[in-house]
Each structure stands twice: as C-alpha cells, then as structure tokens.
Amino acid sequence: MPAPQRPASQAANALASPALANIIALAGIATPLAAWAIKAPDIKNVLLAAETAIVLVLASSHIWLRRRYITLRRAHNLKSMDDAHYYELVRAHVEREITQNYEEIANGHMRVYASDVPRLSVMLVKTVVEAQSEPQRILAADLTTNPALLTRRREYLTANRQMIESGGQINRLFIAWRDDLAREEYARDLLALINQHRQIGVTAGLAIRDRLRPEEAVDYIVFAAAAALVEEEQGDADYNNGRSTVYFQGVERWTERFEGVWGHGAHCATMTLQTYENLTRPMIDADAWDADRVTQTIDAA
C-alpha cells in the first residue's frame, strides 16, 4: 500500500495540477476583457490590478514548476511514426516507468533492481567526491557468503580507489559465518579479497555473523552522511537477481549501526580480522589447515 502523502506534498500537487493552471489562465483572459467592457474607473483599476496579480502568479508558477519538475519532450508528430499506435503504447509505458522512479526519489528513496545495483553503486561513490560531502567516508558492510563474487566488481573497486586517492576513507566490514571461516577454500578467497581491498587503501574488518542480531547482519553501504544503499535481496554472480534501496533520509541510523558492529578496542572488527589472519595465513602458506584450531580461535576472538 503506498504511503499517504504529506500535506505539503498534497498542496504541491494541487498547485501543479492542470485544472488549476486552466482556471488561472481563463481568469487571466476574462479579467482584461471585463476591464475593457466596464466603464467605471474604480472597478477598471481593480480589474487591471487583478490582471497584474494573475500575470505575476503565472510567472512565479512557471519558475517554481521548472525548479520542481522535469519537463520531457514528446513527439510532436505521431503520423511520422511507421506505427503510431504501437509507438504511443511504448512511449506511454516508458513514460510511466520514468514517472514512478521520479516519484520515489522525490520522496527520499529509490529502489534498484538486478544489474543496475553495481552501476548505481559506482555513481554513488563518485558523487561523494564530486559533491565534497562530509565526511569524505564510506562505510560498507558485506554479507560475505561468497568472497570470490566481490572480487569481480572491478568498476566499483576502481571508484573506491579513486575516492581514496582523492583523500577519502573507506571502512569495509566483512560479515562471515563461523563455519565458513573454518573452511580452507573460503579462507583463501576471503584473504585474497581482503588483499585486493587493502591494495587500494580500504580499511578492512571482520564480524562473525553468528554473533550479530538480524538487523545487524545486513548488506549496506553508507555514503558520507548523505545516502545509504541497502541490499534487500542479495545479487548473484552476474547480478541477474538482486534488489536494493537507496535512502537519502535517516542515514544516521545506518552509520550508528555500522559503528556499533565495527566496535572499538581489543574486540573491534579490525582486531578480529587481525587475529584470524595471524592464524590462517601461515596455515594456508604451509598447506597445513586445521579447522578445529581455526574454530577455537574464532570463538575466543
């Protein structure tokens, strides 16, 4: 069910309605005609003043609408299309999709599906730098069920590197299941992924998913204090599936959630990762994996 509109939105929609514009336009035509027809000077002056007010209202309304709404050009000659009816149906369908998207973003959020998620992620990173939003920082929490999947997001990683090179900071929290961390193949992929991020300047941390509350084990990215991209349905390897929402309001709660999981001191995410790495990297290098020892270390971290 769509959310009820706020009074301000209802008022804005009323002001932008074609019916109101038509009424004002008719009044603008009728007023000078009445002024010319009436002989009484006092009434004529009142009508001319009203006409001036109507012109000012129309001009102000035009400026306001141009600032608030996007104007899209339509084909002026449907007969030039080979199949005018077919073209009109396609145009109406595309226009409806565009309108729906802009209604969402006008209300402070935007839903994104499938392969558009990586593209939008790149745009959001670049816009943090372009807008010089403060703080110049990105906080990313990854539900790392498949570390190898994350290594394939080359454009996103490139945008991350460019942001860090421009003076920004990125903290990335890898959230992993305890049993996955005890598997050698998973550990190899995870450590390779961490190396990839560190090479571009990302600060990495690790959180054990088994210890987190459901609302903490979420895939999301906080861009400065401006936006939060929350992944509601995780994408597959090719991002044929996946659904996310960008929120431009209430970003602070996502920042607080990240900082709460990241933590401070001896049990913060960076220390947990360091403990895990200190044990597992030598095991992998020596080809001497010990799952029981890894599990004990995770439990003690």
Side-chain angles (χ1 to χ4, degrees), residues 94-110:
V94 173
E95 186 178 272
R96 188 162 53 249
E97 287 186 350
I98 292 172
T99 302
Q100 289 172 347
N101 289 340
Y102 272 96
E103 281 294 326
E104 286 185 1
I105 198 167
N107 291 324
H109 67 277
M110 179 172 56

Side-chain angles (χ1 to χ4, degrees), residues 68-196:
R68 186 175 178 88
Y69 292 91
I70 295 174
T71 302
L72 301 175
R73 186 181 73 86
R74 287 179 172 171
H76 60 277
N77 184 10
L78 287 177
K79 293 181 179 179
S80 66
M81 306 300 167
D82 290 344
D83 188 330
H85 179 63
Y86 178 85
Y87 164 81
E88 182 64 12
L89 290 177
V90 172
R91 183 209 57 76
H93 177 72
V94 173
E95 186 178 272
R96 188 162 53 249
E97 287 186 350
I98 292 172
T99 302
Q100 289 172 347
N101 289 340
Y102 272 96
E103 281 294 326
E104 286 185 1
I105 198 167
N107 291 324
H109 67 277
M110 179 172 56
R111 284 176 294 183
V112 193
Y113 297 90
S115 58
D116 282 340
V117 175
R119 178 186 60 80
L120 181 68
S121 300
V122 171
M123 184 190 73
L124 290 170
V125 173
K126 291 182 176 180
T127 307
V128 170
V129 179
E130 180 184 347
Q132 287 299 293
S133 299
E134 291 296 338
Q136 280 282 296
R137 181 184 69 182
I138 289 176
L139 307 176
D142 290 319
L143 297 182
T144 318
T145 54
N146 182 0
L149 169 62
L150 301 178
T151 62
R152 302 172 193 171
R153 301 177 184 175
R154 293 185 177 86
E155 291 185 8
Y156 179 67
L157 290 172
T158 299
N160 279 207
R161 177 178 53 78
Q162 291 170 345
M163 179 186 170
I164 292 171
E165 288 175 350
S166 70
Q169 175 190 350
I170 298 177
N171 292 354
R172 177 154 283 112
L173 178 68
F174 298 101
I175 301 175
W177 292 109
R178 170 180 177 270
D179 290 346
D180 284 340
L181 290 168
R183 293 192 294 111
E184 181 178 5
E185 182 181 358
Y186 181 93
R188 286 180 182 274
D189 289 341
L190 177 62
L191 296 178
L193 174 64
I194 289 168
N195 283 342
Q196 184 184 43

Side-chain angles (χ1 to χ4, degrees), residues 270-287:
T270 52
M271 292 302 296
T272 300
L273 177 57
Q274 181 178 326
T275 300
Y276 180 74
E277 283 187 278
N278 288 344
L279 176 66
T280 56
R281 286 192 185 276
M283 283 185 178
I284 290 173
D285 292 341
D287 196 20

Side-chain angles (χ1 to χ4, degrees), residues 24-29 31-32 47 49-60:
I24 295 174
L26 288 173
I29 295 171
T31 302
L47 290 173
E51 172 66 11
T52 302
I54 290 172
V55 171
L56 291 174
V57 168
L58 287 173
S60 301

